């Protein structure tokens, strides 16, 4: 992707945060019929070092797992906070009218190779880990053991695991870093006024470029 220096996020912990906070990734693959995009909840595993591994599962009825070649290069896109920025929010607009609309956003591109894991043990582990992560803030977290074992075994037969061994993570955070402080603060106030608190907070915590 086009990645100007002022919008590059080099901090690994921030890339991992965006992926974990926005787990629904867009998996882009190249198949015999052309480019395909599948939207899947992913789990990022960094315990093995390096760029890490993404794991997920697809429905057995989804042809993805049969169409991709083992070890094929793929891309997964994770989109974080985003939103429209009106030039009316910039104090500088009132002075010179030399301001235009823009769109601010955070996005992570995860590059790696895809590997199909059609075995019950792997799939059970993926479901268990995804469940623990996303049930963590529930008053009474659901766990796989809550369902009858025969029912759970039957459900697991309907899905196939995938693993993406990452080679590179890159992140773009376009958050008005190159604007004057008064205009950035005006945009933050504007976002708060329309209820986009997540993007406003991201801008507030991102240092402007000198």
């Amino acid at each position: 992707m086009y990645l100007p220096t002022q919008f590059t996020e080099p901090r690994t912990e921030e890339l991992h945060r965006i992926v974990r906070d926005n787990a629904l990734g867009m998996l882009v693959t190249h198949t015999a019929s052309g480019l395909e995009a599948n939207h899947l909840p992913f789990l990022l595993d960094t315990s093995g070092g390096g760029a890490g591994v993404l794991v997920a599962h697809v429905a057995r009825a989804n042809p993805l797992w049969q169409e991709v070649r083992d070890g094929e290069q793929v891309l997964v896109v994770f989109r974080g906070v985003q939103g429209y920025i009106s030039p009316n929010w910039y104090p500088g607009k009132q002075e010179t009218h030399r301001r235009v609309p823009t769109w601010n956003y955070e996005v992570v591109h995860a590059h790696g190779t895809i590997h199909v894991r059609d075995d019950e043990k792997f799939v059970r582990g993926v479901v268990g880990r995804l469940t623990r992560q996303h049930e963590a803030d529930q008053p009474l977290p659901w766990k796989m053991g809550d369902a009858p074992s025969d029912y759970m075994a039957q459900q697991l037969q309907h899905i196939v695991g995938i693993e993406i061994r990452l080679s590179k993570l890159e992140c773009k955070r376009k958050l008005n870093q190159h604007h004057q402080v008064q205009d950035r603060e005006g945009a933050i106030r504007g976002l708060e006024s329309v209820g986009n608190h997540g993007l406003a907070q991201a801008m507030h915590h991102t240092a402007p470029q000198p």
Side-chain angles (χ1 to χ4, degrees):
M1 64 178 160
Y2 175 55
L3 192 55
T5 302
Q6 67 264 37
F7 301 145
T8 301
E9 176 54 73
R11 294 173 295 174
T12 301
E13 64 272 17
E14 277 299 293
L15 277 70
H16 291 174
R17 178 193 62 78
I18 292 171
V19 170
R20 287 174 172 139
D21 289 351
N22 304 276
L24 186 67
M26 181 175 68
L27 170 61
V28 181
T29 57
H30 190 275
T31 69
S33 57
L35 291 174
E36 296 284 347
N38 281 268
H39 303 269
L40 309 169
F42 282 92
L43 180 78
L44 174 63
D45 184 352
T46 59
S47 61
V53 175
L54 291 170
V55 294
H57 59 79
V58 298
R60 188 170 291 278
N62 186 335
L64 166 72
W65 67 277
Q66 294 173 309
E67 292 178 342
V68 296
R69 298 188 305 272
D70 189 69
E72 186 173 59
Q73 293 286 333
V74 297
L75 170 69
V76 187
V77 179
F78 297 92
R79 196 182 74 177
V81 293
Q82 55 86 29
Y84 175 76
I85 305 296
S86 171
N88 289 323
W89 295 340
Y90 299 140
K93 182 262 186 186
Q94 313 308 324
E95 301 169 4
T96 67
H97 296 281
R98 292 179 178 271
R99 300 291 188 274
V100 293
T102 193
W103 203 280
N104 282 359
Y105 58 89
E106 298 177 320
V107 66
V108 171
H109 284 191
H111 301 261
T113 57
I114 190 168
H115 306 270
V116 174
R117 301 290 303 273
D118 187 16
D119 65 85
E120 193 269 350
K121 182 178 180 181
F122 180 86
V123 171
R124 182 178 290 273
V126 170
V127 174
R129 292 161 69 191
L130 280 168
T131 300
R132 285 193 295 273
Q133 177 171 306
H134 297 293
E135 287 281 334
D137 58 354
Q138 295 293 316
L140 186 62
W142 182 90
K143 56 186 183 299
M144 294 176 69
D146 291 347
S149 58
D150 58 337
Y151 171 79
M152 200 70 242
Q154 183 182 52
Q155 294 300 304
L156 292 174
Q157 291 176 7
H158 295 302
I159 57 179
V160 177
I162 61 172
E163 178 181 72
I164 298 171
R165 299 168 192 170
L166 298 176
S167 57
K168 180 175 68 172
L169 287 172
E170 56 182 357
C171 178
K172 184 174 184 177
R173 303 182 77 209
K174 181 179 175 292
L175 302 172
N176 279 144
Q177 295 96 321
H178 58 309
H179 282 234
Q180 295 178 357
V181 172
Q182 63 173 0
D183 282 350
R184 291 185 80 249
E185 292 178 347
I188 291 170
R189 290 192 295 270
L191 287 166
E192 292 283 7
S193 73
V194 298
N196 194 339
H197 306 296
L199 181 55
Q201 185 178 37
M203 291 177 62
H204 179 72
H205 291 294
T206 301
Q209 296 292 318

